C-alpha cells in the first residue's frame, strides 16, 4: 500500500502573514521547503494533516502536496506548488530590488 | 468628482471598526476560518497562493491625485511597493498581512476609498467608460448614474445575499468602452427626442459560460432606472438558479427562459415597483450630478506643443497612439500605458503612482481614471501640456506608445498569484509583448486586442479579445487555448476556439503565426485583424496555426 504512495509534505498559509509555510518534523512551521517533513506513509500523512488543521489560529488552508525526494530535499511535483515555493515568476521576490529606482 | 457626505464617511469608519474587531477575534481564535472567511470577503480580502490579497474599489474608475497618492502610500507601507490595476477598475494589493488590513482600510477611508462590495454575492463595483466626462463621442456622463446605483445598492438589505455576484456596467458614449454586453446588466445611455434614457441589456457575462447580453428594454426613461434595476434583480432573485453555483447567473436564467419571458416578468414586476419610488431617487440623482462638474477648461498657447510634435518623432508617435479625442477645444485624453514591454500588465509601482498623481495635479485638473484595459487615464489634458507630461512619464517607464496595439495586453494575475488559476498568464503576456517588440511589427499590425486569462473564470476577458488566450492545465502542465474573433465593443462577440492548445513554450510562436497570416491576408493596412477574421473566417487562421495538420490532411 504505502509502496505506491507518492511522498507528501504538509503545506499551508500563515494566518497572520499569509505566507507559504511547511510543517517540519519537530512540529514547527518553516518557510523553507527543504526543512519540511517528508511523509511517505499515507496514514501518517493524514495524521500530520489533521495536526495542521487543528491549529486554526496559526495556519489556513493546510493540505498535502506531492513531492519528489531529491538530494536537495523535497521538490514539489505540481507547478502550482513550485510557484508557491518560488513566488510569482515575474518578480524576484522577496528582495524586490527592481523597485528601488523605478 | 462625487463628494462623500458625512454619512458616507461615518458608514465607512463604522464598517472598518467592525472589521477590525472581526480580525482581532480571528487572531484570538474566537472566530474560525469558516466563520471569518465570508466576513473578510465582504471587505475585499482574499487569500491567494502566497499571501492575502486586498481588492480596493475605484468606483467607476475615477480618482483624484490625493487618492492615487494614498494608493501609492499603501503599496509602499504595507505591500511590496506595487499594486495591480484590474479589468474591474479595482486595485489589488498582493501582499498585505492580515493584522495590517484594518489600518490599510482606515488609510483608504481617509480619502473615501474602500473595499466594500468588491467580492461576495452582492452588486459589485459599478464600472463605467474610463473616458467618462471627457470623450468627444459622449452623449452624457455615465458616472452620476453609476454613483446613484452605488449608493442605492451599498448595504441594500435585499441585495446583500444574491444567488451570485452581480455586475453592472454603464456607458455614456457612442463607442462602448465599458464592455456593457459582458455584464449582468449593461446600460447604454441614449437620447430620444431630447430625452435621456437607457438601452438596457441583460444576461451578458464571461466565465465558464460566456454570453453576450440581450436587449431587454430599448428605451428606459432616466427616472425609471432604479425601479427597473430592482425589477431585474428581484426577478433574478426569484427565478435564478441557486442549485448550482455556475448556473446562478442571470445570463443562465436569460438563456434558459428566453429574453421574451424574462422581459414579461421584469416589466410586470417593474410596474408594481414603480409607484413605490416617489422621486427621492431623482432628487438624489440631481444632487449627485452637481458633484460631477466639468473641469474649468483653460485656453493656452499650443505653439510649443505643435513644434515638438513636428520635430520629435518619438513624441509624435506617443501622441498619435496614446491620446484620444476630447469634447473640449484643444484638449485631449491621455492614456498612460501600464504595459511597458516586458512589464506586468496593470502593475504600477509606488513611484509610478506618485508620478501619475503629480502629473494629474500639475497638468490634468487633478483627475485620473483606471481603465478596464488596465491602463491609467488622464481625462482632461490641454495640448500645450503634452510635452511636459510626456517627459515626466518617460522618466518613469510610463511613456510606452502602445495603447490599443498587440502589446497592450489584458492579463489576469493567473497562477503567479491567484488561488483559482490553472496556468500562468503574466509571463505569457510578457513574452508576447517582448516578441512583437523584437519583431518591430507592432505598429504595422495596428489595432489588436489580445486578452489572457489564467482559468475558465475569464477575469482577463479572453472571450472578447480579438485574440484570446486561456490558460489551462493538462497532465500537470500549463497549456493555452487560442480563440479569435472576440469583440468587446457595441458589436460584441465571443471568440471562436481555433483548435487544440499549445504549451507555454509554443504559445508565443503560435501567436506570431496568427499575426503573419493576418498580415498576408489583409486587403489593406486599414483592415484590422478583427475585420480580416470577419471576412475570411476561421479556416485560414487554423491552417496558419496548425501547419503540420494542414499538410497531413
Ligand atoms: C486574483 C484573485 C481573483 C479571484 C479569486 C477571482 C475570482 C473570480 C471568479 C470565481 C470568477 C467567475 C465568476 C462567475 O463566473 O460567476 C471571476 C470572474 C471575473 N473576474 Fe475575477 N478573480 C480574481 C481576480 C480578478 C482580476 C485581477 C480581475 C481583473 C483583471 C478580475 C475580473 C473579473 C472579471 C471581469 C470576471 C468576469 C465576470 C463574468 O462575466 O462572469 N478578477 N473572478
Ligand atoms: S481568470 Fe482565473 S486565474 Fe485569472 S484571476 Fe480570474 S480566477 Fe484567477
Amino acid at each position: 500500500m504505502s509502496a505506491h504512495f507518492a511522498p507528501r509534505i504538509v503545506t499551508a498559509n500563515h494566518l497572520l502573514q499569509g505566507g507559504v509555510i511547511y510543517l517540519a518534523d519537530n512540529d514547527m512551521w518553516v518557510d523553507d521547503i527543504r526543512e519540511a517533513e517528508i511523509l511517505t506513509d499515507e496514514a501518517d500523512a493524514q495524521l500530520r494533516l489533521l495536526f495542521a488543521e487543528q491549529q486554526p489560529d496559526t495556519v489556513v488552508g493546510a493540505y498535502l502536496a506531492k513531492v519528489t525526494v531529491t538530494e536537495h530535499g523535497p521538490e514539489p511535483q505540481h507547478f502550482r506548488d513550485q510557484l508557491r515555493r518560488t513566488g510569482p515568476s515575474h518578480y524576484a521576490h522577496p528582495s524586490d530590488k527592481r523597485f528601488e529606482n523605478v | 468628482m462625487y463628494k462623500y457626505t458625512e454619512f458616507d464617511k461615518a458608514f465607512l469608519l463604522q464598517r472598518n471598526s467592525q472589521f477590525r474587531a472581526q480580525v482581532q477575534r480571528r487572531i484570538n481564535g474566537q472566530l474560525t476560518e469558516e466563520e471569518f472567511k465570508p466576513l473578510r470577503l465582504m471587505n475585499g480580502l482574499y487569500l491567494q497562493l502566497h499571501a492575502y490579497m486586498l481588492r480596493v474599489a475605484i468606483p467607476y474608475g475615477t480618482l483624484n491625485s490625493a487618492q492615487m497618492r494614498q494608493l501609492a502610500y499603501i503599496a509602499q507601507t504595507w505591500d511590496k511597493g506595487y499594486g495591480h490595476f484590474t479589468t474591474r477598475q479595482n486595485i489589488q494589493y498582493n501582499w498585505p498581512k492580515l493584522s495590517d488590513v484594518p489600518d490599510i482600510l482606515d488609510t483608504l477611508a481617509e480619502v473615501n476609498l474602500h473595499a466594500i462590495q468588491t467580492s461576495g454575492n452582492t452588486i459589485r463595483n459599478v464600472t463605467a467608460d474610463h473616458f467618462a466626462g471627457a470623450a468627444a463621442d459622449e452623449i452624457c456622463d455615465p458616472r452620476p448614474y453609476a454613483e446613484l446605483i452605488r449608493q442605492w445598492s451599498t448595504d441594500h438589505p435585499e441585495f446583500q445575499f444574491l444567488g451570485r455576484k452581480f455586475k453592472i456596467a454603464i456607458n455614456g458614449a457612442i463607442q462602448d468602452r465599458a464592455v456593457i454586453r459582458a455584464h449582468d446588466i449593461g446600460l447604454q445611455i441614449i437620447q430620444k427626442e431630447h430625452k435621456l434614457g437607457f438601452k438596457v441589456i441583460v444576461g451578458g457575462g464571461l466565465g465558464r459560460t460566456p454570453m453576450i447580453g440581450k436587449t431587454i428594454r430599448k428605451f428606459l426613461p432616466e427616472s425609471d432606472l432604479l425601479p427597473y434595476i430592482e425589477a431585474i434583480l428581484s426577478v433574478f432573485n426569484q427565478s435564478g438558479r441557486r442549485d448550482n453555483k455556475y448556473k446562478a447567473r442571470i445570463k443562465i436564467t436569460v438563456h434558459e427562459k428566453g429574453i421574451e419571458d424574462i422581459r414579461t416578468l421584469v416589466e410586470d414586476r417593474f410596474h408594481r415597483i414603480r409607484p413605490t419610488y416617489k422621486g427621492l431617487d431623482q432628487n438624489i440623482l440631481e444632487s449627485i450630478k452637481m458633484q460631477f462638474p466639468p473641469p474649468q477648461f483653460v485656453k493656452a498657447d499650443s505653439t510649443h506643443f505643435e513644434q515638438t510634435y513636428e520635430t520629435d518623432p518619438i513624441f509624435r508617435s506617443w501622441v498619435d497612439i496614446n491620446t484620444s479625442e476630447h469634447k473640449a477645444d484643444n484638449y485631449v485624453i491621455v492614456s498612460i500605458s501600464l504595459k511597458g514591454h516586458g512589464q506586468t500588465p496593470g502593475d504600477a509601482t509606488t513611484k509610478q503612482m506618485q508620478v501619475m498623481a503629480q502629473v494629474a495635479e500639475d497638468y490634468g485638473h487633478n483627475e485620473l481614471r483606471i481603465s478596464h484595459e488596465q491602463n491609467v487615464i488622464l481625462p482632461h489634458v490641454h495640448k500645450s501640456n503634452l510635452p511636459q507630461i510626456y517627459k515626466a512619464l518617460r522618466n518613469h517607464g510610463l511613456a510606452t506608445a502602445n495603447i490599443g496595439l498587440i502589446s497592450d495586453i489584458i492579463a489576469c494575475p493567473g497562477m503567479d498569484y491567484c488561488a483559482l488559476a490553472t496556468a500562468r498568464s503574466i509571463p505569457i503576456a510578457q513574452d508576447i509583448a517582448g516578441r512583437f517588440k523584437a519583431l518591430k511589427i507592432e505598429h504595422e499590425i495596428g489595432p489588436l486586442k489580445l486578452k489572457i486569462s489564467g482559468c475558465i473564470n475569464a477575469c482577463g476577458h479572453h472571450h472578447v479579445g480579438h485574440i484570446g488566450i486561456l490558460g489551462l492545465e493538462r497532465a500537470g502542465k500549463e497549456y493555452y487555448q487560442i480563440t479569435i474573433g472576440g469583440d468587446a465593443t457595441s458589436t460584441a462577440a465571443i471568440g471562436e476556439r481555433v483548435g487544440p492548445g499549445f504549451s507555454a513554450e509554443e504559445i508565443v510562436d503560435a501567436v506570431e503565426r496568427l499575426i503573419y497570416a493576418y498580415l498576408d491576408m489583409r486587403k489593406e493596412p486599414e483592415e484590422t485583424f478583427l475585420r480580416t477574421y470577419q471576412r475570411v473566417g476561421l479556416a485560414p487562421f487554423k491552417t496558419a496555426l496548425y501547419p503540420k495538420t494542414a499538410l497531413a490532411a
Side-chain angles (χ1 to χ4, degrees):
Chain A
M1 186 58 206
S2 64
H4 302 293
F5 182 70
R8 304 283 205 281
I9 55 174
V10 176
T11 178
N13 288 79
H14 192 279
L15 172 68
L16 290 179
Q17 315 285 326
V20 175
I21 45 178
Y22 305 96
L23 185 61
D25 58 6
N26 61 1
D27 292 355
M28 302 291 282
W29 289 95
V30 293
D31 52 21
D32 188 338
I33 197 172
R34 286 170 300 188
E35 294 167 29
E37 177 186 16
I38 296 166
L39 304 158
T40 50
D41 178 83
E42 185 165 6
D44 214 23
Q46 290 303 334
L47 280 176
R48 295 300 277 166
L49 178 61
L50 206 61
F51 173 75
E53 285 170 347
Q54 282 159 355
Q55 302 173 50
D57 49 352
T58 313
V59 305
V60 263
Y63 68 97
L64 292 168
K66 273 192 204 168
V67 292
T68 309
V69 181
T70 74
E71 55 186 298
H72 310 293
E75 278 288 325
Q77 286 194 3
H78 198 277
F79 64 94
R80 186 177 192 272
D81 293 313
Q82 200 56 266
L83 276 167
R84 285 180 83 245
R85 175 173 76 158
T86 53
S89 47
H90 62 141
Y91 293 145
H93 288 310
S95 57
D96 295 325
K97 289 237 169 18
R98 123 181 232 293
F99 295 109
E100 275 166 18
N101 342 296
V102 179
Chain B
M1 180 172 321
Y2 176 70
K3 297 203 182 46
Y4 277 63
T5 61
E6 288 311 310
F7 172 79
D8 290 322
K9 288 185 190 190
F11 174 78
L12 271 190
L13 288 178
Q14 188 218 338
R15 275 286 292 253
N16 286 354
S17 73
Q18 229 174 33
F19 188 57
R20 187 179 289 276
Q22 289 159 352
V23 168
Q24 206 46 53
R25 297 218 305 278
R26 175 70 184 98
I27 292 172
N28 295 342
Q30 291 164 270
L31 283 178
T32 64
E33 184 59 19
E34 286 67 41
E35 290 163 334
F36 180 62
K37 190 173 171 187
L39 301 173
R40 69 167 157 77
L41 286 176
M42 268 170 68
N43 288 280
L45 190 64
Y46 288 72
L47 184 62
Q48 296 290 81
L49 276 195
H50 319 284
Y52 288 97
M53 180 274 279
L54 181 68
R55 183 180 284 171
V56 177
I58 299 170
Y60 28 92
T62 296
L63 72 175
N64 59 30
S65 296
Q67 291 172 318
M68 185 63 116
R69 283 206 184 89
Q70 201 80 326
L71 296 180
Y73 173 78
I74 289 168
Q76 174 92 326
T77 312
W78 292 290
D79 208 277
K80 291 183 190 274
Y82 66 99
H84 179 72
F85 290 104
T86 81
T87 45
R88 299 257 329 128
Q89 298 179 312
N90 295 313
I91 182 170
Q92 296 188 172
Y93 292 105
N94 292 308
W95 306 95
K97 296 191 178 82
L98 179 59
S99 44
D100 288 339
V101 172
D103 288 345
I104 300 178
L105 293 177
D106 282 349
T107 307
L108 287 168
E110 285 171 15
V111 291
N112 301 318
L113 288 174
H114 58 79
I116 298 169
Q117 286 178 310
T118 56
S119 81
N121 295 335
T122 57
I123 299 173
R124 297 290 187 87
N125 184 23
V126 179
T127 50
D129 176 8
H130 43 270
F131 290 172
D137 69 341
E138 185 165 275
I139 301 155
C140 175
D141 190 338
R143 292 171 301 161
Y145 306 102
E147 176 56 29
L148 180 69
I149 298 169
R150 186 193 72 82
Q151 290 188 13
W152 170 77
S153 66
T154 299
D155 255 21
H156 190 303
E158 235 181 284
F159 305 135
Q160 293 311 298
F161 298 97
L162 297 169
R164 200 78 173 86
K165 60 182 164 187
F166 205 87
K167 295 178 178 175
I168 303 177
I170 173 162
N171 188 59
I174 307 278
Q175 252 197 68
D176 177 9
R177 281 177 292 261
V179 208
I180 60 171
R181 283 162 186 79
H183 285 75
D184 296 289
I185 296 180
L187 298 165
Q188 171 66 49
I189 300 179
I190 47 179
Q191 200 159 21
K192 203 171 122 186
E193 290 151 14
H194 305 291
K195 285 218 172 71
L196 277 180
F198 305 90
K199 177 156 135 182
V200 185
I201 293 161
V202 293
L206 302 173
R208 82 177 49 218
T209 326
M211 294 205 186
I212 299 299
K214 296 198 168 70
T215 303
I216 185 163
R217 180 66 105 82
K218 284 198 188 124
F219 184 83
L220 180 75
E222 185 191 20
S223 54
D224 288 345
L225 180 62
L226 292 187
Y228 203 80
I229 294 180
E230 183 171 336
I232 295 176
L233 277 162
S234 64
V235 166
F236 167 58
N237 247 354
Q238 271 168 17
S239 51
R241 293 177 54 164
R242 290 189 183 232
D243 55 325
N244 177 332
K245 169 173 147 173
Y246 299 114
K247 299 208 161 164
R249 294 294 293 268
I250 197 168
K251 61 186 176 189
I252 305 291
T253 315
V254 170
H255 184 69
E256 286 181 350
K257 295 196 190 291
I259 185 73
E260 285 74 26
D261 276 18
I262 296 292
R263 183 180 297 123
T264 311
L265 289 171
V266 168
E267 291 290 339
D268 180 53
R269 182 94 198 122
F270 168 69
H271 288 295
R272 273 185 286 148
I273 293 173
R274 185 66 190 90
T276 64
Y277 280 76
K278 309 250 186 254
L280 179 63
D281 58 317
Q282 291 309 298
N283 298 342
I284 295 172
L285 177 63
E286 285 316 308
S287 75
I288 294 173
K289 281 183 180 171
M290 314 273 273
Q291 314 271 7
F292 290 88
Q296 304 260 310
F297 293 118
V298 296
K299 292 202 175 7
D301 176 29
S302 318
T303 323
H304 175 58
F305 160 72
E306 310 287 353
Q307 279 166 356
T308 321
Y309 186 83
E310 288 309 319
T311 54
D312 180 347
I314 300 179
F315 173 70
R316 184 163 63 236
S317 155
W318 176 77
V319 172
D320 289 347
I321 292 168
N322 288 30
T323 67
S324 314
E325 235 183 304
H326 198 285
K327 56 167 88 165
D329 278 351
N330 283 313
Y331 268 75
V332 292
I333 302 167
V334 171
S335 294
I336 302 174
S337 169
L338 296 183
K339 315 287 178 68
H341 300 92
Q343 301 293 315
T344 303
D347 274 16
T349 65
T350 294
K351 184 72 200 172
Q352 288 177 325
M353 289 187 231
Q354 287 164 344
V355 168
M356 293 187 281
Q358 192 63 43
V359 168
E361 191 169 291
D362 292 344
Y363 310 111
H365 297 272
N366 217 11
E367 279 202 41
L368 297 133
R369 304 287 170 73
I370 307 306
S371 78
H372 80 267
E373 292 175 324
Q374 302 181 286
N375 292 312
V376 175
I377 313 293
L378 300 171
H380 310 295
V381 171
H382 193 277
K383 276 185 186 164
S384 60
N385 291 321
L386 285 171
Q388 289 92 319
I389 292 180
Y390 175 72
K391 223 158 104 189
L393 295 177
R394 192 191 51 196
N395 291 340
H396 296 277
L398 291 168
T400 311
N402 65 346
I403 296 296
L405 302 181
I406 192 169
S407 61
D408 184 8
I409 297 171
I410 292 184
C412 78
M415 206 184 278
D416 284 303
Y417 296 91
C418 182
L420 303 173
T422 40
R424 282 174 291 177
S425 1
I426 293 168
I428 303 300
Q430 291 172 312
D431 290 352
I432 292 174
R435 170 72 61 91
F436 284 93
K437 186 183 184 190
L439 291 172
K440 295 195 193 327
I441 56 170
E442 181 163 26
H443 293 255
E444 189 188 335
I445 299 165
L448 197 141
K449 307 272 187 199
L450 197 149
K451 305 177 198 257
I452 310 177
S453 306
C455 82
I456 195 79
N457 286 325
C459 302
H461 287 189
H462 67 276
H463 296 117
V464 290
H466 301 171
I467 297 178
I469 298 179
L470 166 62
L472 295 166
E473 179 194 331
R474 188 174 50 196
K477 284 222 161 62
E478 294 158 295
Y479 84 106
Y480 297 88
Q481 269 180 4
I482 296 183
T483 48
I484 63 173
D487 179 357
T489 69
S490 48
T491 45
I494 303 291
E496 246 185 306
R497 215 180 104 195
V498 192
F502 297 92
S503 70
E505 293 73 33
E506 297 164 337
I507 183 71
V508 184
D509 289 341
V511 172
E512 187 182 320
R513 287 202 296 282
L514 268 185
I515 293 298
Y516 276 114
Y518 152 64
L519 291 175
D520 281 348
M521 285 186 284
R522 72 179 177 190
K523 277 190 183 154
E524 53 191 13
E526 286 69 36
E527 191 181 68
T528 60
F529 179 90
L530 187 61
R531 288 272 164 276
T532 303
Y533 159 80
Q534 287 162 348
R535 180 171 55 81
V536 304
L538 194 66
F541 287 103
K542 197 167 183 150
T543 311
L545 260 193
Y546 307 98
K548 287 197 194 105
T549 331
L551 278 182

